[in-house]
Amino acid sequence: MIVVIFLLMSVTEFRVHSIEVTGNEYFKESAVTKIMLTKTKNLLRKGVFNESVFGGDVEAVENLYVYEGFLDVKVEPTVHYDSSQMRVDISLQITEGTQYFVEAIEFAGNEIFTAESLVQELTMRTGEIFDPRKINNDSYVIRYLYDDLGYADVVVQSEYRVKNEKVIVTHRIIEGARQFVGQIEIRGLRHTDTSVVRRYINMAHGDVFRYALLLESQRKLYGLEIFMAIRTQVEKSKTPDH
């Protein structure tokens, strides 16, 4: 005989009764709670408490401060469960710490560009509030500047250090050699002539190689709406620097 057992589990939902923010001086409480997905119950929303969502909220609050230069910020959450009322009361204790500013932006290994010309292209400026997101943005900007001149193998290592409550940003650059286009191969065509594809490729043998032109060529080929997929592959030629 086979016994089939159905195990039914009810989902218990706690509702958010209150959210309290303490220790905040730089941001108002409304600015902190605004970015949180966890909300109190009202006429328009149920205010259901979800632990994983709340964990993301704590991280979001930390990032809110970090992006304004508070690199040492600490957010300590407390959740009080009231089983009799099926509700939770939330408190966030914030220790803001020091707000850091950019003291200097330095470069190492750059020969093609001067430090003065590079710094003019960056999103970060000395004297402003330190936002760590701008380091990645500026690293991309530097790589793009080199790519525009054909230095496709350039490596940019960007980092920062704290000194006397100030931040010093350093971009270490390995320029590599200028690269040129060697051979261009077109594979996989069945119904389209090669000459049609070549008309939309923005580079030719002997040209300075730029990734930006490669991506632009791919975009134009997709615009023809005759290919299911387009893959590009870059390989080193037997010819040096090609």
Side-chain angles (χ1 to χ4, degrees), residues 6-170:
F6 291 92
L7 179 60
L8 304 179
M9 299 180 65
S10 60
V11 178
T12 302
E13 290 186 342
F14 282 82
R15 306 302 172 104
V16 180
H17 177 250
S18 67
I19 301 176
E20 181 185 26
V21 180
T22 57
N24 55 304
E25 295 182 5
Y26 188 80
F27 289 107
K28 293 181 179 179
E29 181 175 302
S30 58
V32 174
T33 56
K34 183 178 180 180
I35 67 168
M36 297 173 59
L37 296 179
T38 302
K39 304 289 185 183
T40 55
K41 179 184 177 182
N42 63 17
L43 295 175
L44 300 178
R45 57 176 178 258
K46 295 181 178 180
V48 176
F49 178 73
N50 183 296
E51 286 189 4
S52 60
V53 171
F54 180 62
D57 287 336
V58 173
E59 184 177 350
V61 173
E62 290 177 345
N63 288 335
L64 178 68
Y65 274 91
V66 169
Y67 299 155
E68 285 294 320
F70 294 92
L71 303 181
D72 305 321
V73 64
K74 293 183 180 179
V75 180
E76 299 178 70
T78 302
V79 180
H80 175 70
Y81 290 87
D82 186 343
S83 300
S84 62
Q85 299 291 327
M86 295 304 296
R87 69 186 192 186
V88 298
D89 291 289
I90 297 171
S91 66
L92 296 178
Q93 172 63 44
I94 299 175
T95 305
E96 294 179 337
T98 301
Q99 187 178 34
Y100 293 90
F101 291 80
V102 180
E103 182 178 68
I105 301 174
E106 301 174 345
F107 301 90
N110 55 301
E111 295 182 3
I112 305 302
F113 294 98
T114 64
E116 292 76 17
S117 62
L118 285 174
V119 78
Q120 291 298 319
E121 302 294 331
L122 304 185
T123 60
M124 185 175 289
R125 295 286 183 263
T126 56
E128 70 176 18
I129 294 171
F130 176 66
D131 182 347
R133 294 175 297 181
K134 289 187 176 182
I135 290 184
N136 290 333
N137 293 341
D138 289 343
S139 180
Y140 173 82
V141 169
I142 295 170
R143 289 197 300 271
Y144 179 84
L145 291 172
Y146 274 91
D147 176 70
D148 201 43
L149 294 182
Y151 291 86
D153 294 334
V154 65
V155 177
V156 181
Q157 299 171 330
S158 302
E159 58 188 22
Y160 72 90
R161 67 184 188 275
V162 176
K163 180 181 179 182
N164 299 328
E165 298 186 350
K166 299 286 185 179
V167 171
I168 299 173
V169 177
T170 303

Side-chain angles (χ1 to χ4, degrees), residues 211-239:
Y211 275 107
L213 291 181
L214 186 65
L215 295 175
E216 184 179 339
S217 302
Q218 189 175 20
R219 179 181 58 81
K220 288 183 176 180
L221 288 170
Y222 269 118
L224 296 176
E225 298 183 351
I226 58 176
F227 301 115
M228 293 181 61
I230 303 170
R231 290 193 307 160
T232 58
Q233 183 175 346
V234 179
E235 299 176 350
K236 287 290 185 181
S237 172
K238 293 181 180 179
T239 305

Side-chain angles (χ1 to χ4, degrees), residues 167-236:
V167 171
I168 299 173
V169 177
T170 303
H171 299 284
R172 304 185 188 279
I173 302 169
I174 303 174
E175 296 177 333
R178 202 177 193 189
Q179 302 293 317
F180 298 87
V181 178
Q183 185 176 353
I184 299 177
E185 297 181 359
I186 302 172
R187 304 173 183 172
L189 297 180
R190 294 184 179 181
H191 308 292
T192 306
D193 191 79
T194 303
S195 61
V196 174
V197 176
R198 289 193 180 274
R199 285 202 298 267
Y200 291 88
I201 297 178
N202 294 349
M203 56 181 68
H205 175 80
D207 288 351
V208 171
F209 175 73
R210 296 174 54 205
Y211 275 107
L213 291 181
L214 186 65
L215 295 175
E216 184 179 339
S217 302
Q218 189 175 20
R219 179 181 58 81
K220 288 183 176 180
L221 288 170
Y222 269 118
L224 296 176
E225 298 183 351
I226 58 176
F227 301 115
M228 293 181 61
I230 303 170
R231 290 193 307 160
T232 58
Q233 183 175 346
V234 179
E235 299 176 350
K236 287 290 185 181

